[in-house]
């Protein structure tokens, strides 16, 4: 300690025109300013790093959203198209094609059943439960003549496809079943198109906000995240 003090006093002697007391005040000011500058610089670097991390996380989130939309589109289109192929084969009275179409249809059903709850969770993370419920709801939607959710519309469609298949091989009148099937396919196609359009609009808005003004987008996302944590 004495050694440091003696060095400071020696350094002060190099400026004889400044009083010792004033010199110590100036030196103290330099030290304080240096410490403040160092703190501000460190704080700025930490904030810049945090912002960069948040930016990368949000960018990855948007990429995941796009993948979810593509997955949803693929699964719904596969199941709808394979169902239509079976119906067309029955209408054209082509047993071999009907059986091949039925095998393809059942593959699409299995894919759907394996993935629908995962997709529901992803949609919930993207835009809340209300949007996720359009795909799959926890309520007993099956009792409705035309279910509200895409999944239970598919269940109704499947039940009628089973009836059509049985009727086709037994030789009964298929007309009433075909009318129901056309109605379910129309409502499914309409709801699927609207849901995917809504999700695409949401993702595009997020992407444009992030691209045009990353700072404002990050502030908005952080505010929404804080409000969600407060509600929880």
């Amino acid at each position: 300690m004495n050694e440091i003090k003696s060095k400071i006093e020696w350094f002060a002697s190099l400026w004889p025109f400044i009083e010792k007391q004033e010199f110590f005040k100036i030196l103290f000011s330099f030290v304080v300013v240096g410490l403040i500058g160092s703190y501000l610089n460190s704080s700025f670097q930490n904030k810049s790093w945090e912002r960069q991390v948040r930016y990368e996380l949000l960018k990855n989130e948007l990429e995941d959203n796009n993948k979810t939309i593509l997955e949803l589109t693929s699964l719904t289109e596969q199941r709808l198209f394979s169902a239509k192929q079976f119906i067309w084969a029955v209408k054209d009275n082509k047993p071999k094609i009907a059986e091949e179409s039925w095998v393809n249809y059942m593959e699409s059903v299995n894919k759907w059943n394996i993935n629908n709850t995962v997709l529901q969770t992803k949609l919930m993370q993207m835009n809340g439960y209300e949007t996720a419920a359009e795909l799959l709801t926890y309520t007993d939607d099956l009792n409705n003549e035309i279910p509200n959710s895409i999944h239970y519309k598919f269940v109704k469609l499947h039940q009628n496809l089973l009836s059509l298949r049985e009727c086709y091989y037994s030789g009964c009148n298929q007309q009433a079943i075909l009318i129901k099937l056309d109605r379910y396919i129309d409502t499914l196609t309409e709801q699927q198109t609207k849901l995917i359009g809504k999700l695409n609009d949401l993702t595009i808005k997020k992407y444009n906000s992030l691209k045009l003004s990353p700072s404002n987008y990050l502030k908005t996302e952080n505010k929404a995240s804080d409000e969600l944590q407060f509600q929880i």
Side-chain angles (χ1 to χ4, degrees):
M1 188 72 180
N2 291 330
E3 184 180 351
I4 295 173
K5 184 177 179 181
S6 63
K7 285 183 178 180
I8 293 173
E9 289 176 348
W10 173 81
F11 189 68
S13 67
L14 298 177
W15 284 272
F17 51 88
I18 301 177
E19 294 183 7
K20 186 182 291 186
Q21 188 175 2
E22 290 299 319
F23 176 81
F24 278 111
K25 287 182 180 179
I26 294 170
L27 182 62
F28 178 76
S29 298
F30 273 117
V31 171
V32 171
V33 169
L35 289 173
I36 292 173
S38 177
Y39 170 77
L40 291 175
N41 182 56
S42 176
S43 178
F44 175 77
Q45 288 180 344
N46 287 336
K47 286 182 179 180
S48 297
W49 178 80
E50 288 175 0
R51 285 171 60 81
Q52 182 63 30
V53 169
R54 288 199 299 270
Y55 176 84
E56 292 299 328
L57 288 173
L58 290 168
K59 190 172 74 168
N60 290 338
E61 179 186 327
L62 291 175
E63 291 174 357
D64 288 341
N65 288 353
N66 281 326
K67 290 177 183 177
T68 299
I69 293 169
L70 290 174
E71 186 180 0
L72 174 62
T73 303
S74 176
L75 288 172
T76 52
E77 287 293 342
Q78 283 180 36
R79 187 162 181 178
L80 279 169
F81 184 68
S82 58
K84 289 176 185 177
Q85 283 185 312
F86 175 72
I87 293 169
W88 295 332
V90 169
K91 285 181 177 179
D92 293 339
N93 194 21
K94 296 180 178 179
K96 184 178 179 182
I97 296 176
E99 275 308 296
E100 291 174 355
S101 300
W102 185 258
V103 171
N104 292 334
Y105 167 72
M106 288 305 300
E107 287 179 0
S108 71
V109 171
N110 290 334
K111 284 183 182 178
W112 175 265
N113 289 335
I114 290 169
N115 290 283
N116 59 40
T117 53
V118 175
L119 279 173
Q120 182 201 38
T121 302
K122 290 179 178 179
L123 293 185
M124 201 179 302
Q125 292 171 344
M126 282 176 67
N127 203 34
Y129 176 75
E130 186 176 346
T131 299
E134 292 187 44
L135 175 72
L136 175 61
T137 178
Y138 291 122
T139 59
D140 190 4
D141 197 18
L142 192 59
N143 288 331
N144 297 320
E145 177 61 25
I146 300 291
N148 295 315
S149 65
I150 289 175
H151 174 72
Y152 283 107
K153 281 186 175 74
F154 270 134
V155 173
K156 288 278 190 179
L157 177 70
H158 182 70
Q159 290 173 345
N160 282 275
L161 284 170
L162 289 171
S163 298
L164 177 64
R165 187 166 184 259
E166 183 180 349
C167 184
Y168 178 58
Y169 288 113
S170 64
C172 70
N173 190 337
Q174 306 162 10
Q175 194 58 36
I177 302 173
L178 288 170
I179 290 172
K180 281 186 177 182
L181 284 168
D182 286 341
R183 182 172 55 166
Y184 283 122
I185 287 174
D186 286 344
T187 57
L188 269 166
T189 302
E190 181 181 2
Q191 187 171 356
Q192 176 230 27
T193 302
K194 286 181 178 178
L195 177 58
I196 290 172
K198 181 195 295 186
L199 294 172
N200 272 318
D201 286 343
L202 174 70
T203 304
I204 289 169
K205 285 178 182 177
K206 284 184 177 182
Y207 175 77
N208 287 337
S209 298
L210 183 61
K211 184 178 178 181
L212 292 173
S213 181
S215 297
N216 289 338
Y217 180 75
L218 289 171
K219 287 178 183 177
T220 303
E221 288 296 303
N222 290 338
K223 183 179 179 182
S225 177
D226 291 341
E227 288 176 353
L228 179 61
Q229 289 177 9
F230 179 75
Q231 290 172 4
I232 292 173

